[in-house]
Amino acid sequence: MKSTIPDTGVPITPPSLNGGDRQEASLHGEILLRLRDYVVEGNIPEGGRVPERQLCEILGISRTPLREALKVLAAEGLIELLPNRGARVRQLSQRDLEELFDVMAGLESLAGRLACEAITDAEITAIEQLHYEMYGRYLHRDMHGYFQANQRIHESIVAAARNETLKAAYANFAGRIRRIRYSANFARKRQRWAEAMREHEAILDALRRRAASELSDILFQHLRNKRAAAIEHLTEPREDAPVSS
């Protein structure tokens, strides 16, 4: 899987002494973004320890900002902080995945229904642009860019629902399955990536028509299909693992 963190260290430029809070916030955001991508894209195995020293060298930062970013990822559910033992990538069981994806399916289904009642033409246009960006990434087999555009589409539909309680619940659960949602696109038997693209065509069509019930059903099934692919990918043998006869 492609990582946004290069193999050779490219230090993040620290804020100047008189840069102020805005530069510090920008630095923190960049560290968080790159670290989140690194975890989501599978560069550390499920249940694996987070290599703090190595990441500090790659990012060109000290452990203090790294650990601040790790606290955010722990709050999102991507990693677990171990008392006096660093951090490790959260490992989800098949039952965990089934329950989390079912909750996400319900939240996205509701968001789609509410969005059709409140979404503006400008918001639909913005989602269309994201869709075509995502399709271009798909054609170029750019999984990183595809996934970023994909997540922004789902987040835009949730935002268009105009329901802050729903938005907060969605953000909480989305963080916990972001990593497996990314890796599910690599499920070999289902050819999930192509399947997901076709589903997004249907999502966009229903959204344009503001077909609330239809979009709700499509989004629910979209998450159910993602759940099946995620479980398949979780249980399929690794390419580098020995295959039993």
Side-chain angles (χ1 to χ4, degrees):
M1 301 180 188
K2 181 182 177 182
S3 168
T4 55
I5 298 181
D7 293 331
T8 56
V10 180
I12 295 175
T13 304
S16 60
L17 294 177
N18 58 354
D21 294 341
R22 182 175 297 179
Q23 285 180 300
E24 290 186 8
S26 177
L27 173 65
H28 175 73
E30 185 179 352
I31 294 169
L32 179 60
L33 178 63
R34 292 172 67 182
L35 186 59
R36 183 188 290 116
D37 286 344
Y38 191 80
V39 175
V40 166
E41 294 175 10
N43 293 285
I44 306 171
E46 294 282 336
R49 296 287 291 274
V50 175
E52 292 188 21
R53 180 178 299 176
Q54 178 185 345
L55 288 173
C56 285
E57 292 175 355
I58 291 173
L59 294 170
I61 58 175
S62 68
R63 289 203 172 184
T64 298
L66 179 69
R67 286 175 175 172
E68 289 301 312
L70 288 174
K71 289 178 183 178
V72 177
L73 296 189
E76 292 178 356
L78 272 174
I79 67 167
E80 294 176 293
L81 298 178
L82 308 173
N84 302 315
R85 291 183 293 151
R88 68 183 176 193
V89 173
R90 183 180 293 275
Q91 189 165 17
L92 298 174
S93 68
Q94 180 171 331
R95 183 60 183 165
D96 290 333
L97 291 179
E98 290 172 349
E99 292 181 355
L100 285 167
F101 271 100
D102 275 351
V103 171
M104 286 293 288
L107 291 173
E108 293 211 22
S109 175
L110 176 59
R113 184 179 295 275
L114 295 177
C116 286
E117 298 174 359
I119 197 166
T120 66
D121 291 342
E123 286 173 320
I124 291 177
T125 298
I127 291 173
E128 286 178 333
Q129 292 172 343
L130 285 171
H131 176 84
Y132 293 127
E133 176 187 342
M134 181 179 69
Y135 184 56
R137 302 287 188 176
Y138 167 76
L139 292 176
H140 287 90
R141 316 310 288 172
D142 173 9
M143 176 58 78
H144 173 77
Y146 168 90
F147 187 73
Q148 296 299 318
N150 178 289
Q151 293 301 285
R152 288 166 63 195
I153 289 171
H154 285 277
E155 290 165 1
S156 296
I157 293 173
V158 171
R162 307 288 195 273
N163 186 306
E164 291 302 315
T165 301
L166 172 61
K167 186 177 179 180
Y170 177 84
N172 177 41
F173 287 105
R176 296 170 66 182
I177 63 169
R178 185 176 284 114
R179 175 185 168 96
I180 194 65
R181 196 166 181 168
Y182 178 92
S183 64
N185 291 298
F186 295 98
R188 292 191 290 269
K189 293 180 182 178
R190 291 179 63 90
Q191 296 184 326
R192 176 58 198 163
W193 200 356
E195 182 182 59
M197 258 322 305
R198 291 191 293 271
E199 290 166 5
H200 265 271
E201 292 283 353
I203 289 169
L204 181 59
D205 176 64
L207 188 62
R208 284 170 173 153
R209 293 184 285 109
R210 292 176 170 82
S213 295
E214 184 179 342
L215 179 58
S216 178
D217 290 344
I218 292 170
L219 284 167
F220 187 88
Q221 191 59 48
H222 178 63
L223 268 292
R224 270 298 180 89
N225 292 341
K226 178 73 77 172
R227 184 186 78 162
I231 292 171
E232 177 189 310
H233 184 70
L234 180 71
T235 56
E236 66 187 3
R238 292 172 58 90
E239 293 181 356
D240 55 352
V243 179
S244 58
S245 58

